[in-house]
Amino acid sequence: VCMTNCPTLIVMVGLPARGKTYISKKLTRYLNWIGVPTKEFNVGQYRRDLVKKYKSFEFFLPDNEEGLKIRKQCALAALNDVRRYLSEENGHVAVFDATNTTRERRETIYKFGEENGYKTFFVESVCVDPEVIAANIVQVKLGSPDYVDCSNDEATEDFMKRIECYKNSYETLDETLDKDLSYIKIMDVGRSYLVNRVMDHIQSRIVYYLMNIHVTPRSIYLCRHGESELNLKGRIGGDPGLSVRGKEFAKSLAQFINEQNIKDLKVWTSQMKRTIQTAEALGVPYEQWKVLNEIDAGVCEEMTYEEIQENYPLEFALRDQDKYRYRYPKGESYEDLVQRLEPVIMELERQENVLVICHQAVMRCLLAYFLDKPA
Amino acid sequence: QRRKTFVLKMPMELTQSRIQKIWLPNDNRPALPRRSCGPQLANSPTVIVMVGLPARGKTYISKKLTRYLNWIGVPTKVFNVGEYRREAVKHYSSYDFFRPDNEEAMKVRRQCALAALRDVKLYLTEEAGQIAVFDATNTTRERRGMILNFAKENGFKVFFIESVCNDPTVVATNVMEVKLSSPDYRDCNSTDAMEDFMKRINCYQASYQPLDPDDYDRELSLIKVIDVGRRFLVNRVQDHIQSRIVYYLMNIHVQPRTIYLCRHGESEFNLKGKIGGDSGLSNRGKKFALALNKFVGEQNLKDLKVWTSQLKRTIQTAEALQLPYEQWKALNEIDAGVCEEMTYEEIREQHPEEFALRDQDKYYYRYPSGESYQDLVQRLEPVIMELERQENVLVICHQAVMRCLLAYFLDKSADEMPYLKCPLHTVLKLTPVAYGCRVESISLNIEAVNTHRERPEEAKKGPNPLMRRNSVTPLASPEPTKKPRINSFEEHVAVSSSLPGCVPQEVPTQLPGQ
């Protein structure tokens, strides 16, 4: 289904250390995974490329004319690349990651969007909790190239002063002044949201995604079912049970999970016998999801690869040509899998500790989402 | 220091349930709860509390949301306090009833709210309900505080939905669309009714305390819908179902529009009585496609979107329209698994047990290596969500798929869904009206085979009591409970079976030419 006609320009808004880059990267990863070509443009990166060495927060002082000139230049260079990506390189969504804290800057960007036929959607992150901000600084700022020669204390002190530079001129998205813009305002890391004028399907999906992600530490475990009887015979698909070694694996998995000492672990399986048998060994409640079933190989179900090559030589060759898009006759493609797994990803984002016992192709799709691997 | 005792499991023996084809352990230890169809949608029951002045769309939202939740398999029911009031106070005389200084009326109104809450408790604790929608103005903190206490006492989660709208045009339109025809104004002319209703709204304004998520209500889970969906404020979404509710509310709209549902033209397989497969159109099917093109032209619509499945027969049908169309794999016909491309006779011969099982419980029955209607609902949910976002749409699909979609629009239960009549060469035209959906059935007068199988006589007796249900049965939104159980008024005996304007006038159970 075509989800976007005009390209979309997502504009991040917020003081430093409010999670803008975190959101930009995560959102970009999600959109690419569901098949919407997306790219982020981080203005800070442009600045680092232009100004080889970062000295101190003074670069960001509002009266530092030289600094302001360079920063505006960087923003324009980034916008230029946005235009190239969206209008010439078949990009659908561009995420413009910068503070964009003044109405004036946002108007410039909005006009740029209008001139080029893009829909603009703002994502603002507002947070006043000093603990959250301190944690963000520790997690991602201390390790920044800007602070490569500084001690942690020096870096933190400098960064706090950097944030101060923006505060006086910060104009948050306003209910009245910005009433005609499309935006979401995220408050206190997702405790509450303000959503204004969602224009289309992709903006609606973006809002839904942003409202489901969280930053609570947790672990996701992915594994396949234990070895199955058909695995042993080199056959694909089907609904076989576990082999003897597969049952051994299930018991080892149980032991492994036990040793991990995980708080409130959720366990999910597909509705195929082999994953359920594996979960049974754990002795904990589990949920069966039909959408976690292995890719449907259609007419090739339960065949070996040799048999497929013999009986369907053309199909066999075509699959090697474009394994992501290739759909088995009367079956599915990896592309189809992504579409059916999207609710699993959304629920994984909502959850905390989860073990997903699934299948090879399914696990590849899920892994590609988490590790940002392209189709 | 806690150590978990670890018990080695027996050899993981499983059996597949006969109807749903769900793998379960042989001994079915009751200690381990099982869910079969997907994520647990809700654990503690939830009370959804509507908030807002009259004519702000609370009942519209309540009914629509309830319909959606039931369709996706979450048992939900609306409790409309106004209904309780109408049962308690036989005749509505005027807005004076709602004046804040009318002590007698205030007492009655409070008793109605309490009676409704009693029924909420019954529904959620004893009738297997998961979500109760408490539809009343709930405009004061005091009233909301009372509800929060009630929920806390009973272990229910609470989610508030407030509708705020100050656009006088919108309010006036709402009044005309659903209030003038209310039983309250049965004996009034439109002008008098309108005038009285506006005074009624006024009675609430002085004491209205909107939800305040920035301060007073910052710990509550809520969504504030502003100006019919232009803006939303969302606070503290607690769980999956609340997140789905928010997503749904953010996708629905009230723009007038029309949805057309039809099947592909008659196919070659239809002619042979074969199910499934991916055959092309028969000659009559092609005629239908051309007739459909003419029909669409005559409808004179602005911006019609056309959707098809990825099966040849729907795409061939769409091609005749000479309009751009989008192919959705999710709209493909139900997968009949090992029975694909067979006739019903062949299935009865080669898989007699499966054939019988399907007639026993057609909604839950999953073809071996195939799908069930329940699976279809899950796969069609994104289609429904996108249909809600869109305006004029024509969906060219298949029999089982069309039944699922229709069940959503017409609020049909899981039990009825597999038997809804969706004949070939007939277009169903759905228009939103008042609280529901008007449906018109338009036959394009091209002959076609009849693919409909009635519910068999034996199956009409009801579900097999030996059959285990692993998941929740989608229900049609239950009729609202009306008895107020108020001591100071007479017991009301007869209960009318439908609400004004909320049930579609025409239901396709018996279509012409069948």
Side-chain angles (χ1 to χ4, degrees):
Chain A
V1 175
C2 171
M3 290 189 292
T4 53
N5 6 38
C6 314
T8 302
L9 174 60
I10 296 178
V11 181
M12 302 304 299
V13 179
L15 292 173
R18 265 57 177 179
K20 296 184 301 300
T21 301
Y22 175 85
I23 291 169
S24 299
K25 287 183 181 288
K26 206 170 160 78
L27 185 58
T28 298
R29 177 162 59 89
Y30 169 73
L31 290 171
N32 278 312
W33 186 76
I34 61 170
V36 181
T38 304
K39 190 168 169 183
E40 24 136 12
F41 298 83
N42 177 290
V43 176
Q45 204 40 56
Y46 284 73
R47 187 260 306 157
R48 270 184 282 275
D49 290 341
L50 196 59
V51 181
K52 292 298 176 305
K53 174 118 176 69
Y54 172 78
K55 297 202 199 73
S56 81
F57 76 94
E58 283 167 8
F59 179 81
F60 291 96
L61 281 168
D63 55 2
N64 179 350
E65 294 222 13
E66 181 66 32
L68 284 171
K69 220 171 67 167
I70 292 172
R71 290 156 69 194
K72 190 165 171 101
Q73 228 182 314
C74 290
L76 291 173
L79 283 180
N80 209 25
D81 286 347
V82 163
R83 183 198 351 249
R84 217 195 9 239
Y85 179 67
L86 295 180
S87 304
E88 295 170 32
E89 293 171 9
N90 292 317
H92 281 205
V93 179
V95 183
F96 188 69
D97 179 19
T99 49
N100 299 315
T101 39
T102 62
R103 192 156 285 113
E104 187 232 336
R105 170 58 54 89
R106 296 194 292 266
E107 256 177 48
T108 310
I109 299 169
Y110 187 83
K111 282 206 186 81
F112 161 85
E114 271 197 320
E115 279 162 18
N116 288 285
Y118 309 149
K119 284 185 187 171
T120 304
F121 186 72
F122 294 91
V123 177
E124 180 174 19
S125 172
V126 174
C127 181
V128 296
D129 183 341
E131 274 180 41
V132 173
I133 295 160
N136 287 355
I137 293 175
V138 168
Q139 274 235 346
V140 296
K141 299 297 178 186
L142 301 187
S144 154
D146 290 346
Y147 296 114
V148 70
D149 299 320
C150 291
S151 76
N152 284 353
D153 287 338
E154 287 167 348
T156 306
E157 195 186 321
D158 183 272
F159 199 84
M160 295 306 287
K161 292 195 186 132
R162 205 154 118 177
I163 298 176
E164 285 305 310
C165 294
Y166 288 86
K167 281 197 177 161
N168 280 340
S169 59
Y170 182 18
E171 295 168 292
T172 187
L173 286 171
D174 180 80
E175 190 175 318
T176 318
L177 295 171
D178 298 308
K179 70 184 189 325
D180 292 328
L181 298 181
S182 298
Y183 65 83
I184 178 170
K185 199 190 264 230
I186 302 170
M187 282 153 309
D188 295 332
V189 205
R191 177 190 55 87
S192 63
Y193 305 89
L194 218 151
V195 180
N196 199 59
R197 288 192 189 266
V198 168
M199 301 256 67
D200 59 16
H201 176 102
I202 194 69
Q203 290 181 16
S204 156
R205 293 284 285 277
I206 288 165
V207 164
Y208 184 44
Y209 182 72
L210 292 177
M211 288 176 49
N212 281 317
I213 60 181
H214 68 75
V215 294
T216 312
R218 49 79 171 255
S219 295
I220 295 170
Y221 299 81
L222 301 179
C223 71
R224 291 168 65 186
H225 52 83
E227 182 189 69
S228 75
E229 294 291 353
L230 282 187
N231 286 146
L232 278 180
K233 297 185 181 134
R235 293 181 177 285
I236 65 172
D239 194 11
L242 297 181
S243 68
V244 172
R245 296 192 298 196
K247 289 177 182 170
E248 287 297 314
F249 166 74
K251 292 185 195 146
S252 298
L253 182 64
Q255 195 162 8
F256 168 78
I257 291 297
N258 201 41
E259 285 161 5
Q260 290 285 303
N261 227 347
I262 309 157
K263 166 183 109 113
D264 296 330
L265 178 71
K266 295 259 166 84
V267 179
W268 297 351
T269 69
S270 69
Q271 284 187 351
M272 293 179 148
K273 190 175 182 184
R274 50 200 188 279
T275 57
I276 296 164
Q277 272 183 304
T278 310
E280 274 291 316
L282 304 178
V284 297
Y286 57 90
E287 291 176 24
Q288 298 185 17
W289 293 65
K290 186 174 191 281
V291 292
L292 282 173
N293 281 5
E294 181 56 314
I295 192 171
D296 183 355
V299 299
C300 300
E301 278 284 316
E302 307 204 28
M303 290 183 155
T304 63
Y305 285 114
E306 289 74 45
E307 283 167 357
I308 300 174
Q309 190 159 23
E310 264 180 57
N311 294 306
Y312 298 98
L314 183 58
E315 294 299 326
F316 192 80
L318 285 171
R319 188 161 201 248
D320 282 339
Q321 257 179 49
D322 191 351
K323 199 170 170 185
Y324 180 78
R325 267 172 212 88
Y326 171 82
R327 188 184 278 169
Y328 281 104
K330 302 196 177 163
E332 293 176 301
S333 61
Y334 274 90
E335 196 173 19
D336 294 327
L337 266 192
V338 163
Q339 186 158 63
R340 88 161 142 87
L341 287 169
E342 198 267 351
V344 175
I345 289 295
M346 198 61 89
E347 191 54 23
L348 275 171
E349 285 295 345
R350 288 198 57 79
Q351 292 290 341
E352 296 190 11
N353 294 320
V354 188
L355 164 64
V356 185
I357 305 172
C358 54
H359 305 266
Q360 183 167 247
V362 167
M363 187 163 158
R364 284 171 171 160
C365 284
L366 298 177
L367 196 60
Y369 167 74
F370 289 109
L371 302 188
D372 203 13
K373 299 293 181 187
Chain B
Q1 182 81 325
R2 255 187 325 160
R3 285 226 73 202
K4 283 196 210 162
T5 39
F6 184 62
V7 177
L8 275 177
K9 287 295 168 179
M10 288 314 290
M12 305 151 222
E13 291 305 317
L14 301 177
T15 327
Q16 198 177 43
S17 72
R18 286 158 77 229
I19 289 195
Q20 288 177 285
K21 312 297 190 296
I22 299 294
W23 289 104
L24 299 160
N26 282 352
D27 55 4
N28 196 32
R29 278 152 263 132
L32 297 177
R34 288 183 210 304
R35 323 204 194 309
S36 61
C37 67
Q40 215 181 355
L41 294 178
N43 11 34
S44 320
T46 303
V47 180
I48 295 179
V49 181
M50 303 304 298
V51 179
L53 293 173
R56 263 57 179 181
K58 298 185 299 299
T59 302
Y60 175 84
I61 290 171
S62 298
K63 286 174 182 284
K64 205 173 161 77
L65 183 59
T66 298
R67 177 162 59 89
Y68 168 72
L69 291 170
N70 279 311
W71 186 75
I72 62 170
V74 182
T76 307
K77 186 168 171 179
V78 180
F79 298 82
N80 175 292
V81 176
E83 295 288 318
Y84 284 73
R85 189 262 305 159
R86 271 185 280 276
E87 290 297 304
V89 181
K90 295 307 163 2
H91 176 68
Y92 171 78
S93 45
S94 83
Y95 79 96
D96 284 325
F97 182 84
F98 290 97
R99 284 174 45 182
D101 55 1
N102 184 341
E103 287 204 24
E104 181 66 32
M106 291 291 260
K107 230 171 56 169
V108 172
R109 291 160 69 193
R110 190 183 171 82
Q111 277 174 312
C112 288
L114 290 171
L117 283 178
R118 270 198 292 276
D119 287 344
V120 162
K121 178 176 173 174
L122 256 174
Y123 177 66
L124 297 180
T125 54
E126 293 174 37
E127 294 170 18
Q130 283 253 241
I131 303 196
V133 182
F134 190 68
D135 179 16
T137 49
N138 299 315
T139 39
T140 61
R141 287 179 178 168
E142 187 253 330
R143 173 56 54 88
R144 299 194 290 263
M146 188 254 282
I147 298 168
L148 283 164
N149 285 337
F150 159 83
K152 189 162 174 196
E153 276 165 19
N154 290 286
F156 304 149
K157 287 186 183 172
V158 180
F159 186 72
F160 291 92
I161 300 179
E162 181 176 27
S163 174
V164 175
C165 181
N166 298 314
D167 181 340
T169 323
V170 174
V171 174
T173 310
N174 289 353
V175 175
M176 290 205 306
E177 180 112 344
V178 297
K179 300 295 180 188
L180 302 187
S181 55
S182 154
D184 290 346
Y185 297 112
R186 176 175 37 221
D187 304 317
C188 289
N189 66 52
S190 298
T191 325
D192 291 345
M194 173 73 83
E195 193 184 320
D196 183 271
F197 200 84
M198 298 312 282
K199 292 195 185 130
R200 201 154 121 180
I201 297 177
N202 238 19
C203 296
Y204 289 85
Q205 306 236 210
S207 60
Y208 181 20
Q209 293 164 299
L211 287 170
D212 177 24
D214 288 332
D215 188 14
Y216 188 85
D217 298 308
R218 68 185 172 285
E219 299 297 322
L220 301 182
S221 297
L222 64 96
I223 179 170
K224 212 187 252 261
V225 179
I226 302 157
D227 291 336
V228 205
R230 174 155 307 164
R231 226 167 129 70
F232 301 90
L233 222 153
V234 179
N235 198 56
R236 295 197 189 269
V237 168
Q238 294 175 55
D239 59 17
H240 177 100
I241 197 64
Q242 289 181 16
S243 157
R244 294 280 288 273
I245 288 166
V246 165
Y247 184 44
Y248 183 72
L249 292 177
M250 288 176 50
N251 282 317
I252 60 180
H253 68 78
V254 294
Q255 297 310 314
R257 50 82 169 252
T258 310
I259 294 170
Y260 299 85
L261 301 180
C262 71
R263 290 166 68 185
H264 51 83
E266 182 191 67
S267 72
E268 293 291 353
F269 269 21
N270 287 145
L271 279 180
K272 298 186 179 131
K274 287 175 180 289
I275 65 170
D278 194 11
S279 58
L281 297 179
S282 68
N283 281 329
R284 299 193 296 196
K286 290 175 185 170
K287 283 210 184 86
F288 167 73
L290 294 170
L292 185 64
N293 181 34
K294 183 157 173 281
F295 170 78
V296 167
E298 285 161 3
Q299 293 291 300
N300 221 351
L301 295 155
K302 150 187 114 101
D303 295 331
L304 178 70
K305 294 259 168 81
V306 180
W307 296 353
T308 69
S309 70
Q310 284 187 351
L311 294 170
K312 187 176 182 183
R313 50 201 187 276
T314 56
I315 297 167
Q316 271 184 305
T317 309
E319 278 288 322
L321 303 178
Q322 291 160 328
L323 289 169
Y325 58 89
E326 289 176 25
Q327 297 184 18
W328 292 65
K329 186 171 194 277
L331 284 171
N332 280 9
E333 182 56 316
I334 192 170
D335 183 354
V338 301
C339 300
E340 276 284 316
E341 307 199 22
M342 290 178 142
T343 64
Y344 285 113
E345 289 69 46
E346 284 165 354
I347 299 173
R348 199 202 305 249
E349 266 166 54
Q350 297 176 38
H351 302 277
E353 195 186 308
E354 294 296 326
F355 189 81
L357 285 172
R358 187 160 202 248
D359 280 339
Q360 251 180 58
D361 200 346
K362 198 170 172 186
Y363 180 82
Y364 284 100
Y365 172 82
R366 185 185 279 168
Y367 281 105
S369 305
E371 294 176 304
S372 61
Y373 273 88
Q374 184 186 33
D375 294 328
L376 266 192
V377 164
Q378 188 163 55
R379 110 158 127 81
L380 287 169
E381 199 266 353
V383 176
I384 288 296
M385 198 62 88
E386 190 56 23
L387 273 171
E388 286 295 346
R389 287 197 59 78
Q390 292 289 341
E391 295 191 14
N392 294 323
V393 188
L394 163 63
V395 185
I396 304 172
C397 53
H398 304 268
Q399 184 167 247
V401 166
M402 187 162 157
R403 283 169 171 159
C404 284
L405 298 178
L406 196 58
Y408 167 76
F409 289 109
L410 301 188
D411 203 15
K412 297 296 179 187
S413 67
D415 193 58
E416 299 167 275
M417 190 194 292
Y419 297 101
L420 293 176
K421 286 216 168 94
C422 294
L424 288 167
H425 300 185
T426 305
V427 179
L428 291 184
K429 179 175 176 178
L430 301 163
T431 6
V433 68
Y435 293 132
C437 217
R438 179 166 151 258
V439 61
E440 265 177 77
S441 166
I442 302 146
S443 162
L444 298 194
N445 285 320
I446 310 273
E447 286 281 310
V449 297
N450 176 12
T451 58
H452 186 84
R453 290 183 68 242
E454 284 294 349
R455 191 194 298 264
E457 282 306 319
E458 318 83 61
K460 280 182 185 161
K461 289 184 196 132
N464 185 339
L466 293 174
M467 205 164 52
R468 190 196 307 114
R469 287 220 187 292
N470 289 315
S471 54
V472 168
T473 307
L475 306 166
S477 307
E479 286 305 324
T481 308
K482 293 200 176 160
K483 278 174 60 177
R485 294 187 206 124
I486 292 171
N487 296 327
S488 53
F489 296 87
E490 327 143 29
E491 279 305 311
H492 188 77
V493 178
V495 173
S496 63
S497 61
S498 72
L499 296 163
C502 77
V503 170
Q505 303 308 320
E506 296 145 57
V507 168
T509 49
Q510 203 66 49
L511 293 167
Q514 279 300 316

